[in-house]
């Protein structure tokens, strides 16, 4: 028997995942004390196999809660603890870009590896490391991709789109989404000068009169996609739509995309957002089943 634990701000994905697994999710109760500390309450008795669903968008507070929940779950009976973090935070800070910078990817990975036996995630931003296992020393990392699902969604909406990733790092997702449908595809080159200051060179594809879809793993401020959209329209694109796995969309990100000429903004439900159109619940459920069968 497996228990599926989740937090109430991710109830929709928890229910969808529970339905796909045939398990009713149980919710972790949170009480926030006036001084900012948190009390978590888990089911009083847990089976040996426990899956905890927690996306790590806006991660800082959630990381503390996760450590408490994991330790508590083990005290209450869990022997094998799986974290399903559809969005895995801190993966982009994967080297010291300047002397003295802390390589957050390594340390957040070590922290999660200390608490969980298995970590399942979707399209983690692994650029300079080969696999999620490398980020989780001694533990099992399962990295799934939503790119084929986004590719299916795009194919159902747009005839013969040109799929563009804003930078080289997006090549893996663009290829995975384009492959099954034979979309024209390419990736641009990004020059980042600051959090909200990027320049993009688009790939040398004929965009005149074409429907362009920009595909990326994550949109945060939306600047990367807004700049790419402006470039595509300046190169004659008839329309620009956007598809991302992780809809972080901080502040006015979505409005800034529309202001840049973007028509539709589509995302998966890895991060709950109004733009969610594709559910990763079946993908997560299949991976959890396969992992359980393999143990
Ligand atoms: C980084 O390379 C990622 O793939 C995204 O392109 C980036 O995080 C998007 O950030 P923003 O939306 O703030 O431009």
């Amino acid at each position: 028997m497996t228990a599926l634990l989740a937090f109430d701000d991710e109830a929709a994905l928890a229910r969808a995942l529970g339905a796909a697994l045939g398990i009713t999710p149980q919710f972790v109760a949170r009480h926030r004390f006036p001084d900012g500390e948190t009390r978590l309450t888990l089911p009083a008795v847990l089976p040996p196999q426990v899956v905890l669903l927690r996306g790590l968008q806006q991660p800082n507070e959630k990381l503390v809660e996760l450590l408490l929940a994991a330790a508590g779950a083990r005290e209450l009976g869990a022997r094998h603890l799986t974290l399903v973090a559809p969005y895995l935070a801190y993966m982009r800070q994967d080297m010291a870009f300047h002397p003295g910078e802390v390589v957050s990817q390594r340390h957040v990975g070590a922290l999660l590896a200390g608490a969980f036996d298995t970590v399942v995630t979707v399209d983690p931003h692994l650029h300079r490391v080969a696999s999620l296992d490398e980020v989780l020393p001694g533990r099992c990392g399962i990295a799934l991709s939503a790119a084929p699902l986004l590719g299916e969604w795009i194919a159902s909406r747009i005839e013969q789109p040109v799929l563009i990733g804003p930078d080289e790092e997006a090549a893996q997702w663009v290829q995975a989404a384009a492959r099954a449908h034979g979309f024209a595809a390419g990736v641009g080159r990004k020059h980042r000068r600051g959090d909200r200051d990027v320049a993009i060179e688009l790939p040398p594809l004929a965009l005149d009169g074409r429907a362009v879809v920009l595909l990326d793993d994550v949109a945060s401020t939306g600047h990367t996609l807004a700049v790419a959209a402006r470039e595509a329209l300046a190169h004659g694109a008839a329309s620009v739509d956007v598809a991302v796995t992780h809809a972080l969309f901080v502040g006015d990100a979505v409005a800034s995309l529309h202001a840049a000429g973007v028509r539709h903004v589509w995302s998966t439900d890895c991060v709950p957002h109004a733009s969610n159109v594709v559910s990763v619940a079946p993908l997560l459920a299949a991976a959890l089943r396969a992992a359980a069968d393999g143990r």
Side-chain angles (χ1 to χ4, degrees):
M1 204 178 96
T2 300
L4 172 61
L5 304 182
F7 289 78
D8 56 6
D9 53 346
E10 288 172 300
L13 183 56
R15 292 208 172 90
L17 180 58
L21 288 169
I23 304 173
T24 304
Q26 294 171 280
F27 290 92
V28 178
R30 267 180 303 175
H31 173 74
R32 201 156 205 274
F33 292 104
D35 53 22
E37 294 182 10
T38 306
R39 179 185 65 215
L40 300 179
T41 308
L42 307 181
V45 180
L46 286 168
Q49 307 285 331
V50 173
V51 174
L52 178 59
L53 171 71
R54 194 51 164 153
L56 286 172
Q57 55 280 4
Q58 305 294 333
N60 292 355
E61 205 167 306
K62 288 179 186 167
L63 283 170
V64 173
E65 290 175 2
L66 266 190
L67 297 183
L68 294 172
R74 290 200 194 273
E75 282 174 351
L76 294 165
R79 293 285 164 269
H80 189 280
L81 204 45
T82 299
L83 170 66
V84 176
Y87 176 66
L88 194 53
Y90 284 114
M91 293 298 107
R92 284 169 288 180
Q93 187 69 35
D94 60 356
M95 64 176 276
F97 296 91
H98 300 100
E101 272 181 10
V102 176
V103 183
S104 313
Q105 183 193 70
R106 191 184 304 149
H107 304 299
V108 170
L111 194 125
L112 294 177
F116 295 92
D117 301 286
T118 300
V119 176
V120 180
T121 190
V122 183
D123 291 334
H125 195 94
L126 301 180
H127 181 36
R128 275 161 279 257
V129 299
S131 78
L132 191 57
D133 285 335
E134 269 183 55
V135 181
L136 301 162
R139 300 297 195 180
C140 172
I142 300 175
L144 307 171
S145 181
L149 299 175
L150 288 171
E152 273 168 39
W153 172 266
I154 293 162
S156 74
R157 290 292 180 287
I158 312 266
E159 244 179 75
Q160 298 193 323
V162 180
L163 206 56
I164 295 180
D167 52 33
E168 292 95 335
E169 294 163 31
Q172 54 185 307
W173 300 298
V174 167
Q175 282 158 12
R179 203 175 296 132
H181 308 282
F183 299 153
V187 295
R189 301 178 77 175
K190 178 159 75 177
H191 310 279
R192 187 177 276 288
R193 295 182 288 245
D195 288 344
R196 292 164 198 271
D197 184 8
V198 295
I200 308 263
E201 281 171 54
L202 292 184
L205 295 167
L207 300 186
D208 206 29
R210 301 293 301 272
V212 168
V213 179
L214 300 173
L215 183 84
D216 209 355
D217 58 332
V218 51
S220 177
T221 66
H223 274 71
T224 297
L225 294 170
V227 170
R230 286 203 170 89
E231 283 291 314
L233 291 167
H235 282 79
S239 61
V240 177
D241 301 308
V242 155
V244 294
T245 301
H246 303 295
L248 298 185
F249 291 131
V250 298
D252 63 355
V254 171
S256 72
L257 287 179
H258 291 308
V262 170
R263 184 175 55 175
H264 299 298
V265 178
W266 297 315
S267 65
T268 76
D269 58 358
C270 282
V271 177
H273 188 263
S275 60
N276 293 169
V277 290
V278 169
S279 181
V280 293
L283 184 71
L284 295 172
L288 288 169
R289 269 198 222 96
D293 289 349
R295 281 199 291 274

